[in-house]
Structure formats: C-alpha cells, structure tokens
Amino acid sequence: MTVENTRKSGILMHFSSLHGRFGIGDLGAEARDFARTCARAGFSVWQVLPFTPVARISGYSPYSSTSAFAGNFLFISPEDLCKCGLLSQKDIDCAASSEARADFEYAAKIRKDLIRRAWNNFSTGFTALHDEYEDFCREAFWLCDYALFTVLKEFHEGRAWADWPRPYAMRDKAALDAFAEAHRDEISLVKFEQFIFFRQLAALRRYCSSVGVTIFGDMPIYVAWDSADVWTNRALFDLAPDGAPRMEAGVPPDYFSKDGQLWGNPVYNWDEMKKDNFAWWRKRFLWQMKFCGIVRIDHFRGLCAFWEVPHGEKTAVKGRWHNAFARELLTALSEDCDLSASLVAEDLGVITDEVREVMADFSLSGMKVLQFAFGCGKNNPYLPHNMAQNSAAYTGTHDNDTSLGWWMNASSDERRRLSLYTGAVINNENAAKVMCRIALASPARLAILPIQDIIGLGSEGRMNTPSVTDGNWAWRLLPEQFEEFANVRSHDFFEMNEIYDRIDAQRTEPHEKQKRAVNIKDD
C-alpha cells in the first residue's frame, strides 16, 4: 500500500474460497470473474492468504507449509490447462465435481492425476511452452531443492526430514545426486507442477491489473520446521546438531491464554542471516512481490523481538524474549523495493514502542480491526477517529468471526457503543453493512472487507477459529452468493467507495468507463 495521498479499498477472500468444479477454488475463470466484480464494485485490492503448499497434518492451514517459496498445486486450474492444450475437455469433464465446502483431499487427488496427464503431454511432443518452462526453472532458485525435498518426503512415506537416513537428512551431496538421478521423472513432475502454478498466478496478476485490481499477499513470519527451507538452509535456523529445533517460536502468556501459544516453528539464527545481508529474506520477499503488489507480514513484532521456548516444552510459559534485527532487515529489503508502498505489518495484540518506532521510521502501514474497537473507551486505538492515515482498516480478519457473527455475540456494552458511535439503529439485518461503511469511511488509506461481510454472512461463513483444529479453511463462496455480490451488492459498494473517495480519480467519472473496464475478456 502506498503512503501517497490515495485511498483504496479491497476484499479479503482466499483462492480456496472461490467456487468451481474441482473441489476447491483455483486460479482460473472464477478468479477472473471475482477480480472483475471487485473492480465493478469499486474495490482495487484483492487480499488473499498464503498460497504456499498445505498439508493434511496441519488441517490444510495456509500458515503451515513445506515451502516459503513454492505454490499450492491445489490452486492450479484444470480448465486453464485445457485452454492451453495440455489437457482435453474429456479429461477435465471426467474429474469435475462441485462441493459447497473446500474438499482438499478430493482436490489433491484429481489435480495430481490431471497434472500428471498434462506433464505426459508436455514431455512427449508438446513444444509450445518448453522455452518458458526452461526459463522458469532457471529463475526459480529454490525449485531444485524443493522438488528434491518433495520427492524424498514421498519416498520416505511423509516422514520428517530429520527422520530420513542420515545422508539424506544431512544433505550428503553424493547421496542426493544419486537419489535425484534415480527419481528424475518424479522430480521433473514437481518442477512442472510449480511452473504451471506460477504461470497461472502470473496470468491472474496480469488480468487483475488489467481491470485495476492489485493482489495483496500474505507472508507468515516463520516457516515450518519440516520444510524444504529448513532442510536446505539449516544454518539460518536455531537447530540442534541432529536437526531438531533448539528453540521454538510462540508468544508468552497473556490475558487470553495463561499458557501462551507454542507454534512449533524453529526460530531464526539472526546472527547468521545478518552475515550475507539477509539474502534469504530478500529472495523470499522479492519472489512474493513478483506476483503481488502488496504483502502483509504476519506477526511483525517478531522481527523486532521474538518469544523463544526450549524445544520439548509443552507450553510457552518457560520462554524468553530475544532481540532480532528488524531495522537491519528492513534496510536490506528497502534496497530492493519501496516498503512503504508494498508492505503491511500485522501489528495486532500487545505491541511495544520499539515496534511502533520501526514501523514509523520505515513508513509501514499497520492493521486496525473494527471488531476490537467498541469494547472500551475513547482512546481505543481501533476506533476510526484514532486510526492513522497510514494504516489498513479491517472489519475483521480471517481469524475473526464475521461482522454479523461478532454482532450477534457482542456484549450489550459493545452493541451500545457501536450504536452510539454510528448514530444508527443496528440489528442483524444491517450490522455487517454498518461495519463495512465505518471501515470505508475511516481515515485509513486502505480499507479491507472480508467478502463474508459484504454479503452479510453470520458465523457459518467464518474462515478460521484459532486453537480449533477441525473445520477451518473450508468456507467457499457459493454461486448464488457470488451472484448476490455481483448483481445486488456491487452497485451499493461502488457508491460507498465513491463517496468515501476510495476510487482513483481516473475511475470516478465513469460509471460507463467502469463498465467498459470490467468487460475485458479473459486471456
């Protein structure tokens, strides 16, 4: 998000929540339709969750991945594989099935089969994309290690890398070269899968740009221990000689949790990272920025100081704060791009003066969540009149209930404060729209509304409930809900975006020009 005097608004919805015929939302036609409808409603930003690989063991959480760089093959569009000639119409018609909630297992099963068919066609005479594929393999510096890690993990039946035979776990070159030669075809298939994912993501970014929409990505601060990143770069993480984490990341006990939170991620070896001017972080950030115009860093305060807990502890109680190198890291990242225009810091929760100073010095936008605004007095930092211009206002995030769900469960005092603040008579019918209006009217230069709030869903539309292991991440936007957004809600929200000055000057004049802009054909 830029700090220039431009007000923007966006919609929060992950790719997985798009509807479609293949078990889970993807990067194809439904994504283009959604981007076009966002633009038609006056929104110029589409925020998504991390699009890295997910695993069944983590409940398919996008915040736990085997790679900080690779893409989630579940988002590959079979229809777009057909459009470019790598699959037949019969191939995809046989695989299609629509589900009301994301079915990750079905989506994985059919895509693995379809991607293998596409790979067989690609490698046996389909020459149209070969130069593009070779260019991608050269450019994706992380690809060889990720593909080797993925095949090794499959070969060892999903076991963590530290449990592989020692030559593989400790990256003995001769052993890895021999394995790679013996499994050349499987490794090539993984590389092809990543090529297709990022080819489709790049096409979606171009399409979004053509209708005036920026993709807003999300970067978890930590990576999973059982990941290609840690296996490949052990020196960059605080590990014991056997590869196990010496310390694990989390947050200390607080008002909400007497035991704190223990996440299980290894913490960084910041002294080692500093030696090469944070090259791994710079590569990670630049790779993300190839496909997103804005990126959020989750748990930003961990870049200033992080809570580390000895490996083996059952809770986060026996941890300690350890200083990191936020200023040095951000200075390094600033050499590659304008952070004030491209980085949003997740600064929710207990934030120190040091974090605030770092954000101010680098002109970083923070987050303000309206669901936190009405529980106490006039100095609450989440009340709109207390928001800095250089911030991103949210009705709620993927970790919160929907605005209607929040309203229905709010205390009588919160309801009274919201009604007094807005001067409106609020009920179940209008609570979500009132919250959306407050966010759009706020001083924050960026306002983000979850799609669930735009169409007024209750708690049934919640995406994630922290600390609950089952049932998360599966919500999808049904076709009739999308139709309501496109045909009923979009005009109202265009008018709100216009009246609250969240549409670029080039787009305010024209209702007709706006209509022409969103009729651009798919690539």
Side-chain angles (χ1 to χ4, degrees), residues 10 106 166 277 386 408 460 472:
Y106 177 76
R166 186 173 178 79
N277 200 24
N386 291 328
M408 295 178 72
E460 74 279 4
N472 290 324

Side-chain angles (χ1 to χ4, degrees), residues 421-489:
Y421 196 87
T422 60
V425 177
I426 303 174
N427 53 45
N428 292 353
E429 296 299 315
N430 68 357
K433 192 169 185 178
V434 167
M435 293 285 276
C436 289
R437 185 180 292 277
I438 298 171
L440 293 173
S442 75
R445 287 199 176 94
L446 178 62
I448 298 289
L449 313 178
I451 185 64
Q452 295 94 326
D453 290 351
I454 287 174
I455 59 177
L457 293 185
S459 298
E460 74 279 4
R462 185 165 186 162
M463 188 63 167
N464 180 51
T465 303
S467 302
V468 173
T469 55
D470 297 323
N472 290 324
W473 316 113
W475 179 82
R476 297 180 78 183
L477 183 69
L478 300 178
E480 57 269 26
Q481 293 168 338
F482 175 72
E483 289 300 314
E484 181 182 357
F485 171 42
N487 298 322
V488 179
R489 310 275 180 161

Side-chain angles (χ1 to χ4, degrees), residues 149-463:
F149 174 88
T150 301
V151 175
L152 274 163
K153 194 168 180 63
E154 290 175 353
F155 182 79
H156 292 101
E157 300 178 325
R159 293 199 296 276
W161 62 265
D163 295 329
W164 300 344
R166 186 173 178 79
Y168 298 145
M170 298 295 118
R171 293 182 57 86
D172 177 80
K173 186 177 185 306
L176 293 182
D177 287 348
F179 183 90
E181 180 61 30
H183 297 269
R184 182 187 302 176
D185 289 345
E186 298 100 304
I187 290 170
S188 295
L189 177 61
V190 175
K191 291 181 178 180
F192 173 76
E193 163 197 293
Q194 291 299 306
F195 163 64
I196 292 297
F197 172 87
F198 283 108
R199 185 175 192 272
Q200 290 190 357
L201 182 59
L204 179 61
R205 180 180 182 173
R206 290 194 300 273
Y207 184 83
C208 287
S209 179
S210 75
V211 297
V213 171
T214 297
I215 295 177
F216 180 178
D218 198 356
M219 182 184 294
I221 185 174
Y222 291 116
V223 301
W225 169 69
D226 187 21
S227 65
D229 309 290
V230 177
W231 177 66
T232 304
N233 306 284
R234 289 197 305 277
L236 300 182
F237 300 88
D238 190 355
L239 306 180
D242 64 356
R246 197 180 66 83
M247 293 286 180
E248 296 182 16
V251 290
D254 58 19
Y255 176 81
F256 300 101
S257 173
K258 65 181 178 64
D259 294 327
Q261 296 179 38
L262 188 59
W263 298 332
N265 307 84
V267 299
Y268 295 112
N269 183 343
W270 286 104
D271 290 323
E272 188 68 24
M273 286 185 155
K274 190 176 180 181
K275 290 179 182 177
D276 61 4
N277 200 24
F278 307 97
W280 182 85
W281 268 101
R282 294 173 73 174
K283 290 177 181 178
R284 184 186 183 195
F285 194 73
L286 282 173
W287 184 258
Q288 186 91 354
M289 291 303 298
K290 280 176 59 67
F291 307 98
C292 303
I294 313 170
V295 173
R296 183 188 86 131
I297 291 188
D298 195 36
H299 191 59
F300 179 84
R301 78 156 298 177
L303 297 181
C304 295
F306 57 93
W307 188 254
E308 60 176 15
V309 182
H311 178 62
E313 290 291 324
K314 301 301 182 185
T315 73
V317 172
K318 295 182 180 178
R320 62 167 186 168
W321 287 108
H322 196 293
N323 290 329
F325 294 110
R327 290 185 182 279
E328 294 90 335
L329 171 62
L330 294 172
T331 298
L333 294 178
S334 298
E335 296 175 18
D336 304 318
C337 59
D338 179 3
L339 295 184
S340 66
S342 57
L343 183 61
V344 170
E346 188 272 287
D347 60 343
L348 304 175
V350 180
I351 298 300
T352 64
D353 289 340
E354 180 191 9
V355 175
R356 296 187 189 95
E357 290 167 5
V358 167
M359 290 177 60
D361 289 347
F362 287 88
S363 299
L364 303 183
S365 302
M367 294 175 60
K368 304 298 180 186
V369 179
L370 287 177
Q371 289 185 23
F372 304 155
F374 301 100
C376 58
K378 63 183 180 181
N379 293 323
N380 186 317
Y382 300 106
L383 283 167
H385 64 266
N386 291 328
M387 291 181 186
Q389 284 189 331
N390 192 24
S391 59
Y394 288 74
T395 53
T397 73
H398 63 276
D399 283 333
N400 299 121
D401 203 344
T402 66
S403 285
L404 174 56
W406 170 81
W407 165 259
M408 295 178 72
N409 292 288
S411 68
S412 58
D413 190 53
E414 286 176 311
R415 289 188 176 199
R416 182 181 61 83
R417 288 177 184 275
L418 176 60
S419 296
L420 284 172
Y421 196 87
T422 60
V425 177
I426 303 174
N427 53 45
N428 292 353
E429 296 299 315
N430 68 357
K433 192 169 185 178
V434 167
M435 293 285 276
C436 289
R437 185 180 292 277
I438 298 171
L440 293 173
S442 75
R445 287 199 176 94
L446 178 62
I448 298 289
L449 313 178
I451 185 64
Q452 295 94 326
D453 290 351
I454 287 174
I455 59 177
L457 293 185
S459 298
E460 74 279 4
R462 185 165 186 162
M463 188 63 167

